[in-house]
Amino acid sequence: MTRDDCLAPPAPREERLLWLSLRWLARAVVAAVFVYAGGVKVLNPALFVADIESFHMLPSAAALFVAFFLPWLEIIAGLALLIPSLRWSAGMILLALLLAFMVGIGQAMVRGIDISCGCFGGDGSATAPIPLLLRDVALIVGTLIAMGPLRRQRKTMERPPLDVTSRPIQLNS
Amino acid sequence: MYQYCVVTKNRSKGPWRAGRVSVPALILIFCFIPLLGGVINALVNPNAPWHRVVPPVEGEVDLAWVAAQPQPVLFVDARSEEEFSRGHIDGAVSLPLDSLDSAIIDFLDRWQPGEPIVVYCGSPSCGLSTNLANLLRDQYGLDNVWVLRGGFDEWRRANQ
């Protein structure tokens, strides 16, 4: 008996194909978004520094560090989402990044600060916080789908009760 | 024959494994590589803040241009009222984009015809000032409207 015999009975083929396609689609979209966003920021760090400073959350030195570190982290984590053995780690990092972005946007909204989100390298346009938050929520959902289930659910089989009566009784003669 | 399900145990993870990849490998991938990329980018990218020479943009002026004007200019703050109340350029008029219709009357009371208007917002890439300047030019027919490069951050830096 193999380990696969212990797994839950497989879903119908169409359903499995649908989920598989959905997960790969989510992986491709989320990875593309983060690789693009990171790439644009890598090309123009000066603009991204200004965008981070517009949030009024970090001192200048920290903003400078984030402006050079974060874009590469986005690129690496976005690509790692496509590698099975790194998928969960990458997914957790992307979720943490998205939550951090949401905290930044939320505090700017509460404090009434005019921010430039800098999400895609600072395109110079004023950015309204609500659409930004909705976009982050959509990316969180996409990342969760891309990560897939934590582990396959296992089904343990019951040992059948002993049928004593059907056994022949052998007596030593 | 009895059917038993042998549930195999997970692969031993240990304190230095997270799934199939060891923790040092994860640190290398997600910390060291981005750090290395950032350092190289900081050294070689001509758009790094310390290398960058901002090309002049049409309609943008800097503080030196403002100081060189023979007549005083009227600063217009495009940020929200809350941000304006926390700090603004001396003598500036608040003209938030989201309450333009009500604030424009105060602005027109303060503005003298012929006086240059310099619009600013929070940071170099905030964008509100450009939008407001375009609106003042197109919708209100004002022609002597400029955008302050670097915004309020630049003014604060210059006046520290």
Side-chain angles (χ1 to χ4, degrees), chain A residues 116-139:
Chain A
S116 169
C117 99
C119 313
F120 297 99
D123 51 7
S125 60
T127 34
I130 299 293
L132 287 180
L133 288 174
L134 290 178
R135 188 170 66 189
D136 277 358
V137 170
L139 279 171

Short mmCIF file of all heavy atoms in Angstrom, two decimals, chain A residues 116-139:
data_model
loop_
_atom_site.label_atom_id
_atom_site.label_comp_id
_atom_site.label_asym_id
_atom_site.label_seq_id
_atom_site.Cartn_x
_atom_site.Cartn_y
_atom_site.Cartn_z
N SER A 116 2.00 59.50 -2.97
CA SER A 116 2.17 58.87 -4.28
C SER A 116 2.60 57.47 -3.96
O SER A 116 3.64 57.27 -3.34
CB SER A 116 3.24 59.61 -5.06
OG SER A 116 3.57 58.87 -6.20
N CYS A 117 1.79 56.47 -4.31
CA CYS A 117 2.04 55.13 -3.78
C CYS A 117 3.37 54.57 -4.24
O CYS A 117 4.01 53.83 -3.53
CB CYS A 117 0.89 54.19 -4.10
SG CYS A 117 1.10 53.11 -5.49
N GLY A 118 3.81 54.92 -5.44
CA GLY A 118 5.09 54.41 -5.91
C GLY A 118 5.05 52.93 -6.21
O GLY A 118 6.09 52.29 -6.35
N CYS A 119 3.84 52.40 -6.29
CA CYS A 119 3.69 50.95 -6.46
C CYS A 119 4.39 50.48 -7.73
O CYS A 119 4.99 49.42 -7.77
CB CYS A 119 2.22 50.58 -6.51
SG CYS A 119 1.24 51.35 -5.23
N PHE A 120 4.28 51.26 -8.79
CA PHE A 120 4.92 50.88 -10.04
C PHE A 120 5.96 51.93 -10.43
O PHE A 120 5.99 52.42 -11.55
CB PHE A 120 3.87 50.68 -11.13
CG PHE A 120 2.94 49.56 -10.81
CD1 PHE A 120 1.69 49.80 -10.27
CD2 PHE A 120 3.35 48.26 -11.00
CE1 PHE A 120 0.86 48.75 -9.95
CE2 PHE A 120 2.52 47.19 -10.68
CZ PHE A 120 1.27 47.45 -10.15
N GLY A 121 6.76 52.30 -9.45
CA GLY A 121 7.90 53.16 -9.73
C GLY A 121 7.60 54.64 -9.74
O GLY A 121 8.43 55.42 -10.14
N GLY A 122 6.42 55.02 -9.29
CA GLY A 122 6.12 56.44 -9.20
C GLY A 122 5.85 57.04 -10.57
O GLY A 122 6.73 57.54 -11.25
N ASP A 123 4.59 56.94 -11.00
CA ASP A 123 4.26 57.48 -12.31
C ASP A 123 3.87 58.94 -12.23
O ASP A 123 3.43 59.53 -13.20
CB ASP A 123 3.12 56.68 -12.96
CG ASP A 123 1.93 56.52 -12.03
OD1 ASP A 123 1.95 57.15 -10.96
OD2 ASP A 123 0.99 55.79 -12.37
N GLY A 124 4.02 59.52 -11.05
CA GLY A 124 3.78 60.94 -10.91
C GLY A 124 2.33 61.32 -10.73
O GLY A 124 2.02 62.49 -10.62
N SER A 125 1.45 60.35 -10.70
CA SER A 125 0.04 60.69 -10.58
C SER A 125 -0.38 60.59 -9.11
O SER A 125 0.14 59.78 -8.36
CB SER A 125 -0.80 59.74 -11.41
OG SER A 125 -0.59 58.42 -10.97
N ALA A 126 -1.34 61.44 -8.75
CA ALA A 126 -1.87 61.36 -7.40
C ALA A 126 -2.65 60.06 -7.28
O ALA A 126 -3.34 59.65 -8.21
CB ALA A 126 -2.80 62.53 -7.14
N THR A 127 -2.51 59.39 -6.13
CA THR A 127 -3.13 58.09 -6.01
C THR A 127 -4.11 58.10 -4.86
O THR A 127 -3.75 58.42 -3.73
CB THR A 127 -2.06 57.01 -5.81
OG1 THR A 127 -0.99 57.56 -5.05
CG2 THR A 127 -1.52 56.54 -7.12
N ALA A 128 -5.36 57.72 -5.16
CA ALA A 128 -6.40 57.68 -4.14
C ALA A 128 -6.22 56.40 -3.34
O ALA A 128 -5.93 55.34 -3.90
CB ALA A 128 -7.76 57.71 -4.80
N PRO A 129 -6.39 56.48 -2.01
CA PRO A 129 -6.08 55.31 -1.18
C PRO A 129 -7.04 54.14 -1.35
O PRO A 129 -6.62 52.99 -1.29
CB PRO A 129 -6.14 55.86 0.25
CG PRO A 129 -6.81 57.16 0.17
CD PRO A 129 -6.68 57.67 -1.23
N ILE A 130 -8.33 54.42 -1.58
CA ILE A 130 -9.29 53.30 -1.62
C ILE A 130 -9.00 52.35 -2.79
O ILE A 130 -8.92 51.13 -2.58
CB ILE A 130 -10.74 53.84 -1.70
CG1 ILE A 130 -11.07 54.68 -0.45
CG2 ILE A 130 -11.74 52.70 -1.84
CD1 ILE A 130 -11.12 53.89 0.83
N PRO A 131 -8.81 52.85 -4.03
CA PRO A 131 -8.44 51.92 -5.10
C PRO A 131 -7.14 51.17 -4.83
O PRO A 131 -7.01 50.00 -5.18
CB PRO A 131 -8.29 52.83 -6.33
CG PRO A 131 -9.08 54.02 -6.03
CD PRO A 131 -9.02 54.21 -4.56
N LEU A 132 -6.20 51.84 -4.16
CA LEU A 132 -4.94 51.16 -3.83
C LEU A 132 -5.19 50.01 -2.87
O LEU A 132 -4.64 48.92 -3.04
CB LEU A 132 -3.97 52.14 -3.17
CG LEU A 132 -3.32 53.20 -4.06
CD1 LEU A 132 -2.40 54.07 -3.23
CD2 LEU A 132 -2.55 52.54 -5.17
N LEU A 133 -6.04 50.26 -1.86
CA LEU A 133 -6.34 49.21 -0.89
C LEU A 133 -7.06 48.06 -1.57
O LEU A 133 -6.76 46.88 -1.31
CB LEU A 133 -7.19 49.77 0.25
CG LEU A 133 -6.46 50.70 1.22
CD1 LEU A 133 -7.43 51.31 2.22
CD2 LEU A 133 -5.38 49.93 1.99
N LEU A 134 -7.99 48.37 -2.47
CA LEU A 134 -8.73 47.31 -3.17
C LEU A 134 -7.77 46.49 -4.05
O LEU A 134 -7.89 45.27 -4.13
CB LEU A 134 -9.83 47.92 -4.03
CG LEU A 134 -11.00 48.54 -3.24
CD1 LEU A 134 -12.02 49.16 -4.18
CD2 LEU A 134 -11.68 47.46 -2.38
N ARG A 135 -6.83 47.18 -4.68
CA ARG A 135 -5.85 46.46 -5.50
C ARG A 135 -5.00 45.53 -4.64
O ARG A 135 -4.71 44.40 -5.02
CB ARG A 135 -4.97 47.47 -6.23
CG ARG A 135 -4.06 46.83 -7.25
CD ARG A 135 -3.40 47.85 -8.11
NE ARG A 135 -2.47 48.69 -7.36
CZ ARG A 135 -1.89 49.77 -7.84
NH1 ARG A 135 -2.17 50.15 -9.07
NH2 ARG A 135 -1.06 50.47 -7.12
N ASP A 136 -4.63 46.01 -3.44
CA ASP A 136 -3.84 45.17 -2.55
C ASP A 136 -4.64 43.96 -2.09
O ASP A 136 -4.10 42.85 -1.99
CB ASP A 136 -3.37 45.98 -1.33
CG ASP A 136 -2.11 46.77 -1.66
OD1 ASP A 136 -1.62 46.63 -2.80
OD2 ASP A 136 -1.63 47.52 -0.80
N VAL A 137 -5.92 44.17 -1.80
CA VAL A 137 -6.77 43.03 -1.39
C VAL A 137 -6.85 42.01 -2.52
O VAL A 137 -6.73 40.80 -2.30
CB VAL A 137 -8.18 43.53 -0.99
CG1 VAL A 137 -9.13 42.36 -0.81
CG2 VAL A 137 -8.11 44.34 0.30
N ALA A 138 -7.00 42.49 -3.75
CA ALA A 138 -7.06 41.57 -4.90
C ALA A 138 -5.75 40.80 -5.04
O ALA A 138 -5.75 39.59 -5.31
CB ALA A 138 -7.34 42.36 -6.18
N LEU A 139 -4.63 41.48 -4.80
CA LEU A 139 -3.33 40.79 -4.89
C LEU A 139 -3.16 39.78 -3.75
O LEU A 139 -2.55 38.73 -3.94
CB LEU A 139 -2.20 41.81 -4.86
CG LEU A 139 -1.90 42.49 -6.19
CD1 LEU A 139 -0.92 43.63 -6.01
CD2 LEU A 139 -1.35 41.49 -7.20
#
